[in-house]
Amino acid sequence: MNSDSPSTVTAGIRLDIWLWAARFYRTRSLAKQAVETGKVEIGGQRAKPSRVVRVGDELKVVRGEDTFGIRVEGLSDQRGSAPVAQALYRESEESRQRREAAAATRRAERTGYQAPLSKPDKRARRLIRALGDIDAM
C-alpha cells in the first residue's frame, strides 16, 4: 500500500515526523528531542514523539525564543519546500502578534550595541583579560 493513500493521511502521522516535515526543526532527531523536553504541546498537554497528529489539532511549539500557536491543516511525512511546509499549518493571529512583539522588544534591547569590526589586538586582549580578573574578585 502506498504511504500517500487516503486512509494513511486521514489516520494521522507521528508528531516528530510532522514537525520535521513542517520545517519547525531541521532534523527529525531534533524534533524528537524537543517533544521529549516539553517544548511541544498538543491541546495544552505534553506529548510523546510517537503521538499521532491529526488535521485540526492545536499545537504549541517553542523554538528558541519564539512560541508558535498553530493548528494542523495538513499532514505529510516528507520534508518539502518552505511553501509546501507552511501549507501544513496555520498560525493563530494572536500567536503571530505575540511573536512579533517579542522580536521587536529583543531588537529594542539590542539598539546601541555595535559588534566590533575586527578582532581585538594584543593590547585590547590584555585589557579584556585584566578586566575579567577584576570581575572575578
Side-chain angles (χ1 to χ4, degrees):
M1 186 173 199
N2 189 357
S3 66
D4 294 331
S5 66
S7 61
T8 305
V9 173
T10 56
I13 192 166
R14 283 178 57 111
L15 177 59
D16 57 346
I17 295 173
W18 187 87
L19 288 168
W20 168 75
R23 294 181 161 257
F24 279 98
Y25 297 99
R26 184 168 280 220
T27 64
R28 187 171 156 204
S29 62
L30 286 175
K32 181 178 177 183
Q33 182 181 10
V35 175
E36 288 173 344
T37 57
K39 291 182 170 55
V40 179
E41 295 178 359
I42 297 180
Q45 296 181 342
R46 285 182 65 168
K48 293 183 179 179
S50 61
R51 167 85 155 66
V52 176
V53 177
R54 293 181 174 85
V55 174
D57 284 349
E58 301 284 335
L59 274 68
K60 177 182 164 193
V61 180
V62 177
R63 190 179 67 187
E65 296 177 351
D66 293 329
T67 302
F68 297 85
I70 60 172
R71 182 173 190 275
V72 177
E73 296 287 325
L75 300 175
S76 176
D77 60 353
Q78 294 182 352
R79 189 174 171 102
S81 63
V84 171
Q86 289 171 351
L88 297 177
Y89 63 91
R90 175 154 305 154
E91 184 177 10
S92 68
E93 195 58 38
E94 174 186 321
S95 169
R96 184 184 322 270
Q97 289 172 354
R98 261 197 323 264
R99 276 190 320 105
E100 289 172 354
T105 303
R106 288 192 301 268
R107 276 194 301 274
E109 290 171 352
R110 283 194 307 258
T111 57
Y113 170 77
Q114 287 185 329
L117 299 174
S118 63
K119 291 170 132 180
D121 60 0
K122 186 174 185 177
R123 181 174 178 269
R125 282 194 305 271
R126 286 183 178 167
L127 288 170
I128 291 168
R129 215 173 293 123
L131 288 173
D133 291 343
I134 291 171
D135 292 337
M137 293 179 154

